[in-house]
């Protein structure tokens, strides 16, 4: 579902110009004149028709430029909205899993001997976690497509990185993955790391074609850093096949929401994407 209506590309320039030119042509064909007016009137009518045509062409170009600008802004906002919805769905999966573990652990202590106060506390914890899980699912169910809930893939994690990088080789990329010890990494950050690598590899395949790509993941204090750098086109005459151009906007929205930063720059004839994602578990 789109948050904003698709911009309209309709322009009234052509219909207006067509009416004006038609009226002028009809006037030239039907209006009679004698003397000097017979010499002056036809050129004036023809000049008016030409002026209307020139105005229509210029105004049509202006309207087209304005429409493309509105369309670009609309597509960017929709990309950001789509990424926010994906973030919400991932949040649902992650938080629901955590609350489910709390519920199971609390329920598993029922048969163990314990003081009455502890039993009451654990019962309250179990009840509260069940209510919170049900409320979370109720509030976020609307973010899922009706037919997509049963076919959603599991949330990405760091164990999926080798498969993601290997999959890029099918597009002709020559990839090398380096993952340094990261320690404990929150699930939301793991998802962002995988999304960053996917988007960067996709961009490299579209813009650089078969080329060398280095993927690195390491920890820098409280941040997990992801770098994906390609060497640029390695095939003479390679023609880029750019996509919609809003993948990075959605990715930046996700990383910003985690308190991180995303940079994209040309380096040594290639392109490098760097994501610094704050990780509170460090």
């Amino acid at each position: 579902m789109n948050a904003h209506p698709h911009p309209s590309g309709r322009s009234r320039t052509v219909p207006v110009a067509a009416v004006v030119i038609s009226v002028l042509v009809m006037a030239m064909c039907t209006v009679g004149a004698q003397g000097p007016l017979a010499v002056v009137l036809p050129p004036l009518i023809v000049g008016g028709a030409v002026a209307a045509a020139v105005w229509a062409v210029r105004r049509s170009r202006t309207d087209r430029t304005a429409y493309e600008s509105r369309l670009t802004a609309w597509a960017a906002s929709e990309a950001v909205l789509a990424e926010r919805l994906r973030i919400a769905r991932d949040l649902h999966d992650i938080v629901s899993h955590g609350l489910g573990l709390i519920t199971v652990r609390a329920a598993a202590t029922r048969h163990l001997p314990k003081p009455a106060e502890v039993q009451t506390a654990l019962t309250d914890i179990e009840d509260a976690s069940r209510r919170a899980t049900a409320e979370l699912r109720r509030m976020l169910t609307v973010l899922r497509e009706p037919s997509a809930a049963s076919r959603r893939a599991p949330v990405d994690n760091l164990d999926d990185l080798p498969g993601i990088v290997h999959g890029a080789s099918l597009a002709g990329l020559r990839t090398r993955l380096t993952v340094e010890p990261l320690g404990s990494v929150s699930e939301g950050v793991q998802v962002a790391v995988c999304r960053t690598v996917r988007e960067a590899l996709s961009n490299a395949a579209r813009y650089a074609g078969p080329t060398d790509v280095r993927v690195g993941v390491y920890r820098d204090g409280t941040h997990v850093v992801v770098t994906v750098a390609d060497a640029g086109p390695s095939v003479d005459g390679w023609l880029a096949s750019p996509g919609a151009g809003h993948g990075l906007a959605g990715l930046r929205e996700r990383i910003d929401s985690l308190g991180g930063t995303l940079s994209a720059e040309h380096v040594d004839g290639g392109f490098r994407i760097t994501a610094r994602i704050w990780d509170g578990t460090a």
Side-chain angles (χ1 to χ4, degrees):
M1 180 181 295
N2 296 332
H4 306 97
H6 192 288
S8 174
R10 287 186 176 182
S11 174
R12 298 180 180 179
T13 302
V14 174
V16 171
V19 170
V20 172
I21 293 174
S22 298
V23 170
L24 291 175
V25 171
M26 291 176 62
M28 185 173 63
C29 296
T30 59
V31 175
Q34 296 180 352
L37 191 60
V39 178
V40 176
L41 187 59
L44 288 177
I45 294 177
V46 172
V50 171
V54 171
W55 171 84
V57 171
R58 291 182 176 178
R59 182 57 184 269
S60 180
R61 290 178 178 176
T62 301
D63 290 346
R64 181 64 183 178
T65 301
Y67 167 69
E68 290 178 351
S69 177
R70 294 195 305 271
L71 185 62
T72 299
W74 174 84
S77 66
E78 289 301 310
V80 170
L81 175 62
E83 187 62 27
R84 287 182 177 180
L85 293 179
R86 284 193 290 269
I87 292 171
R89 289 194 289 265
D90 291 341
L91 176 64
H92 171 266
D93 292 342
I94 293 170
V95 176
S96 293
H97 176 68
L99 289 174
L101 288 179
I102 294 173
T103 303
V104 171
R105 291 288 292 171
T109 63
R110 288 178 179 174
H111 66 284
L112 299 178
K114 49 189 166 300
E117 293 82 357
V118 175
Q119 174 63 47
T120 300
L122 289 174
T123 300
D124 291 342
I125 292 172
E126 181 182 353
D127 292 341
S129 62
R130 289 186 188 278
R131 289 194 300 269
T133 301
E135 184 66 15
L136 179 65
R137 288 174 178 170
R138 185 182 69 82
M139 295 297 293
L140 296 182
T141 294
V142 297
L143 297 178
R144 296 184 185 274
E145 297 84 0
S147 60
S150 61
R151 56 180 172 83
R152 270 178 50 81
V155 176
D156 287 332
N157 58 61
L158 295 179
D159 293 335
D160 297 317
L161 277 179
I164 294 172
V165 174
H166 175 71
S169 63
L170 300 178
L173 297 179
R174 298 181 294 274
T175 56
R176 185 177 66 186
L177 172 64
T178 302
V179 181
E180 298 182 3
L182 300 173
S184 177
V185 180
S186 66
E187 292 183 68
V189 172
Q190 294 188 48
V191 173
V193 169
C194 293
R195 289 286 170 82
T196 300
V197 173
R198 284 185 191 276
E199 179 64 26
L201 290 175
S202 178
N203 281 344
R206 288 197 299 263
Y207 288 92
T211 189
D212 296 319
V213 183
R214 300 187 309 276
V215 180
V217 183
Y218 61 93
R219 180 177 287 281
D220 182 14
T222 58
H223 289 76
V224 173
V225 182
V226 185
T227 62
V228 182
D230 66 67
S234 61
V235 177
D236 293 336
W238 169 261
L239 296 178
S241 55
H246 303 298
L248 288 180
L251 183 60
R252 182 171 283 107
E253 176 73 17
R254 174 180 288 270
I255 293 175
D256 287 348
S257 71
L258 295 172
T261 59
L262 179 72
S263 63
E265 56 187 344
H266 292 279
V267 178
D268 297 331
F271 198 74
R272 181 174 64 195
I273 291 178
T274 304
R276 291 180 54 86
I277 312 167
W278 182 80
D279 180 25
T281 64

